[in-house]
Amino acid sequence: MDDMYREQILEHSKYPHNFGTLDAPSVSHEEHNPLCGDRVRMDIQIADGVITDVRFSGKGCAISQASASLLTDELIGMPVEQAKVYSKDDLLELIGIPLGKNPVRLKCALLSLKALKVGLYGVGHIHDDDDD
Amino acid sequence: MPTLSTFDVVALRREFPILQQQVNGKPLAFLDSAASSQKPRQVIDCLEDYYRRYNANVHRGVYKLSEEATFAFERARGKIARFIGAYSKREVVFTRNTTEAINLVAYAWGGANVGPGDRILLTLMEHHSNIVPWQMLAQRTGAKLDYIGLDGDGRLNLDELDTKLTEGVKLLAVTHQSNVLGTVNPVAMLAERAHAVGAKILVDGAQSVPHMPVDVRALGCDFMAFSGHKMCGPTGIGALWARRSLLESMPPFLGGGSMIEVVDLDSSTYAEVPARFEAGTPAIGEAIALGEACDFLANVGMEAIHQHEQALLGYALDRLASVEGLAILGPQDTKDRGGAISFTLDGVHPHDVAAILDGEGVAVRAGHHCTQPLHRYYDVPSSTRASFYIYNVAEEIDRLAVGLEKARKLFN
Ligand SMILES: Cc1ncc(COP(=O)(O)O)c(C=O)c1O
């Protein structure tokens, strides 16, 4: 547990980066976690195939908020094609906490990635590895 | 620490093998019995004995093992009937759980008795399993759903009965004890009111049958649904109780073996109740072990169990009141309230609360507890719930409170 709530996670959850919304995002998508009712919305600005700005909003546990915060930092400046293949493992490595095999907490950690992927691919095209 | 019980809790705890372990280096404090209870040795042994010694299908074989299995299975039905005050064991239908029992009523009774424009009255504190089957019935039949709301204290707003429980309501489906708020609803009074307008009443007993003396006859209800796994029994077995004449008036639910009399190529005649509602091979060992769980609980005494939980509840309400930023959903005192306490903690998400408590060896539940409408009413997406049972002790509540303080500090 103490591993899970490391300084970085606590900092990002208390003071998330890129929190908010964009006025006219190229892509915007919200995902819900039916297990706990949490939601994360990702607003993405795209120019010339590159993500120029990202904001996330919503409510969730420290893990989901910190993960969204870390993910948005990572995305700004990234080509869309690269973002589309940004994987679950990439994000888990970035978060760097031992979520182990806890499927509930994994859902929390990956909610923002799911919002990103569904947003970028269009609803109905969720990449397999977003959701297990 | 208050004197809690008329029974020796420390000795009783030893009957639960699972409670003897450490979690994250700390003794397990299991505070999630509202989701599923732990099982005493007696029940585990009973289940094992069936599989080791007399496993065979019921109601079929003429050989010794099948006879023994059938006898034990039917004896368990009788134990369950006695446990809830039924007139006869023929009034007890084995199901997988509460959810299946409610679906059985919605399908079999609902299909035959509910039509376009009829109303089904629910409450805002129902578990999804006492909402969704009625929504499905309403979609099939054109019936309408209505909900009794809550008062500021987390109890049913009984003033709404005058306008909502009126002619045209075919069924009132209500939980006996809320799995979130702990609120105990006045079922006997509600049964009278429902019958006065010609409605039937289904009681979701998932949280009451395990925790307090329940007498279906005294309550005057028509249907009672409950789950074995929440009352020291195995998973995969539960029951529906209904008055025999009512069961006899109902068409079957699932079709198949065991529920028939004569099968022709185009049609069949159906078995007597309760067999009519028990298609296919049932969870035999689990049913027998649920009977054993009833013996176990009855032996401790349901009134004693209730008193024990009331004492824990009182202690917990006091103890949690001292945790800064903690807000309890539902009644704040022990009156007409059972041992499930859901709360929010300022600045800390329920998942984080539960994860931090897990680190302390304290198991609680975080989420919406299958009551999204109720959480929406309280305007929170989720909450943390601690719930108590026969084997919990006040020291575990102290550990809960200490863990909550720790969570507060970490996030503030
Ligand atoms: C009040 C209530 N009703 C129904 C259920 C559903 O029980 P089961 O999942 O055993 O069918 C539960 C348990 O989660 C409950 O607490």
Side-chain angles (χ1 to χ4, degrees), chain B residues 99 125-132 175 179 204 369-371:
Chain B
T99 304
M125 66 171 84
E126 297 312 310
H127 188 281
H128 294 164
S129 71
N130 201 21
I131 296 177
V132 182
T175 189
N179 64 317
D204 174 350
H369 322 303
C370 297
T371 56

Side-chain angles (χ1 to χ4, degrees), chain A residues 1-2 4-5 10 13-14 33-38 59-63 104-105 108, chain B residues 349 351-353 355-360 366-368 372 381-382 406 409-412:
Chain A
M1 184 286 300
D2 293 316
M4 202 186 290
Y5 294 98
L10 288 173
S13 75
K14 284 184 213 171
N33 181 346
L35 288 173
C36 57
D38 289 347
K59 258 186 152 25
C61 64
I63 307 296
V104 174
R105 296 328 295 275
C108 303
Chain B
H349 189 281
H351 272 178
D352 298 319
V353 172
I356 290 161
L357 289 171
D358 182 51
E360 304 297 314
H368 51 59
Q372 286 181 16
S382 56
K406 180 171 174 179
K409 285 207 193 76
L410 204 53
F411 279 89
N412 285 289

